[in-house]
Amino acid sequence: METPGVGPSEAADALEAAEASRSGLARGVVIPKWTYVWLGAAVAVQIATAAVGLTWGQGSAPWWIAVGVVVYGAVAWWQLSRFRRANGVRLEGFASRVVFGAAAMATVGYLAGLVAAYAAMTHGWWWLAAPAAAAGGVAYAVSGRHWVASYRREPARLATAESAVWLVALGVLALGGLVLLVIGH
């Protein structure tokens, strides 16, 4: 469908200008200082509290798990607020992949850290659970850095988040697995 008075060359120029604008915005995205450190630390706390909650008994498990979720939620909200203030925009890909860990590397790092911390706790190696949780947090932070670098190179492909349906399905599966772990323990 053509716009009256706009020819193919003008439309092509407008599309090229829009792409240049998007690329400029992507290269200019500001990541507030310590964002990755804060996110990695919050994830490490969440992993550690989940491992403790899952191994120290059914009565205290929900409290330990809740503490980790609250700490992570507060840090996530704060980092998203800082990002919006620094850039004046919301970036769905940043929120979903960097902050909420939907990137493959973040998910794998988180799960590996959680499994290692849980396994260490079940074997009584509490001193090994902390480095396992920290490793999961580091992997999460490195994943965020990697995603931002990739986004700056390919903003058209990476600007959007995963579909809400997919994220809800993953959330329901994760919550169901957590409930089964708490109940079965």
Side-chain angles (χ1 to χ4, degrees):
M1 185 161 134
E2 290 187 27
T3 304
V6 176
S9 65
E10 290 88 3
D13 290 345
L15 287 172
E16 191 174 311
E19 181 58 36
S21 175
R22 177 175 36 201
S23 294
L25 174 66
R27 284 189 305 275
V29 163
V30 174
I31 305 301
K33 286 186 179 196
W34 302 95
T35 293
Y36 304 117
V37 172
W38 279 105
L39 288 171
V43 166
V45 167
Q46 198 281 319
I47 289 171
T49 57
V52 167
L54 293 171
T55 57
W56 277 9
Q58 192 170 357
S60 66
W63 295 108
W64 280 102
I65 293 167
V67 165
V69 169
V70 167
V71 166
Y72 174 76
V75 170
W77 173 83
W78 180 46
Q79 295 311 311
L80 285 172
S81 298
R82 291 177 66 215
F83 181 87
R84 279 187 228 123
R85 271 194 314 273
N87 294 287
V89 297
R90 291 174 55 176
L91 183 58
E92 291 177 7
F94 177 80
S96 72
R97 292 185 180 101
V98 176
V99 176
F100 296 117
M105 185 189 305
T107 302
V108 169
Y110 175 87
L111 291 174
L114 180 60
V115 167
Y118 176 72
M121 291 295 292
T122 59
H123 287 88
W125 302 330
W126 57 268
W127 50 270
L128 190 55
V138 167
Y140 202 93
V142 168
S143 172
R145 260 185 107 90
H146 175 73
W147 183 88
V148 169
S150 297
Y151 167 72
R152 287 181 172 143
R153 287 189 306 274
E154 300 179 71
R157 185 175 69 85
L158 296 171
T160 59
E162 285 73 19
S163 80
V165 172
W166 176 245
L167 291 176
V168 167
L170 287 177
V172 166
L173 286 173
L175 186 59
L178 185 59
V179 167
L180 289 174
L181 279 172
V182 170
I183 291 171
H185 192 74

